[in-house]
Amino acid sequence: MSRRIAVYPGSFDPIHNGHLDIIERCRPLYDEMIIAVLANETKKPLFSDAERVEIIAELMAGQPECRVESFSGLLVDYMESRGARVVVRGLRAVSDFEYEFQMALMNRRLDPNIETVFMAPADGYSYVSSRLVKEVFQLGGDVSALVPKLVERRLREKYGKAAR
Ligand code: PNS
């Protein structure tokens, strides 16, 4: 039987507890999970793709069924290169729906073999986004319940001592 491989793509700039919650929920459902970090410098990420991959790899240590890679170009092409058919995306709120629905249908148009699976995070994370984590941290707010310790440390290194 072929291995069930799920790809969880995203910017992950940086990864937060809502993302980790989705990974935890997906892990038992698939034989392998690839966390695919979009390498797109035009989005001007705070963390380079190498840094984002490094952070996630450290967080996934000890979970051999999860691996992390960066990708560029079309997601469907990357998926084909990995023999994966399932895209996993978190749906936090209705506001996410339109964008996610568009992407799911476009990906299906590009490759009819691809299916998108939407997962709801724990309700405590429904408002958490990488953008807000960065903004709150930069302005001195407490993000300790929203990101792992490692990410908090890396944010501190990026923003310097002025932030928390
Ligand atoms: O975390 P994000 O930024 O919402 O993730 C968006 C992502 C990476 C899933 C999306 O931008 C993507 O798949 N980019 C790759 C390029 C591509 O395939 N574009 C067409 C998809 S409809």
Side-chain angles (χ1 to χ4, degrees):
M1 221 174 74
S2 60
R3 286 172 66 74
R4 291 165 310 164
I5 306 171
V7 169
Y8 182 28
S11 300
F12 303 110
D13 184 40
I15 193 162
H16 55 65
N17 288 348
H19 294 129
L20 293 171
D21 180 67
I22 297 289
I23 294 169
E24 271 310 299
R25 286 170 200 283
C26 273
R27 248 168 16 104
L29 307 179
Y30 298 96
D31 298 316
E32 189 178 337
M33 201 169 166
I34 307 176
I35 300 144
V37 175
L38 179 68
N40 183 357
E41 292 301 324
T42 61
K43 276 199 170 182
K44 298 217 180 319
L46 175 66
F47 294 97
S48 69
D49 47 300
E51 288 172 323
R52 286 175 280 149
V53 167
E54 184 192 298
I55 291 169
I56 298 170
E58 208 171 315
L59 294 170
M60 294 299 127
Q63 298 184 20
E65 71 278 34
C66 293
R67 67 189 158 101
V68 53
E69 292 180 346
S70 67
F71 79 102
S72 54
L74 283 177
L75 177 62
V76 292
D77 291 340
Y78 170 74
M79 302 223 5
E80 196 190 354
S81 74
R82 296 297 179 267
R85 286 191 54 194
V86 175
V87 182
V88 171
R89 292 286 288 172
L91 256 195
R92 289 166 300 191
V94 179
S95 50
D96 281 343
F97 182 77
E98 201 173 326
Y99 170 60
E100 294 298 336
F101 195 60
Q102 277 182 342
M103 280 204 299
L105 293 184
M106 181 59 82
N107 282 329
R108 182 186 285 163
R109 186 187 166 82
L110 292 168
D111 184 344
N113 292 313
I114 300 288
E115 293 296 348
T116 301
V117 171
F118 295 115
M119 309 250 346
D123 50 7
Y125 297 130
S126 61
Y127 61 94
V128 182
S129 71
S130 300
R131 184 181 63 79
L132 280 183
V133 163
K134 284 181 283 193
E135 184 175 319
V136 169
F137 185 89
Q138 199 178 6
L139 296 173
D142 182 5
V143 297
S144 58
L146 309 179
V147 295
K149 281 260 169 298
L150 168 64
V151 170
E152 215 182 337
R153 179 154 49 79
R154 300 296 292 258
L155 283 167
R156 203 173 299 118
E157 285 164 12
K158 277 281 169 200
Y159 287 119
K161 289 202 168 66
R164 276 174 170 265

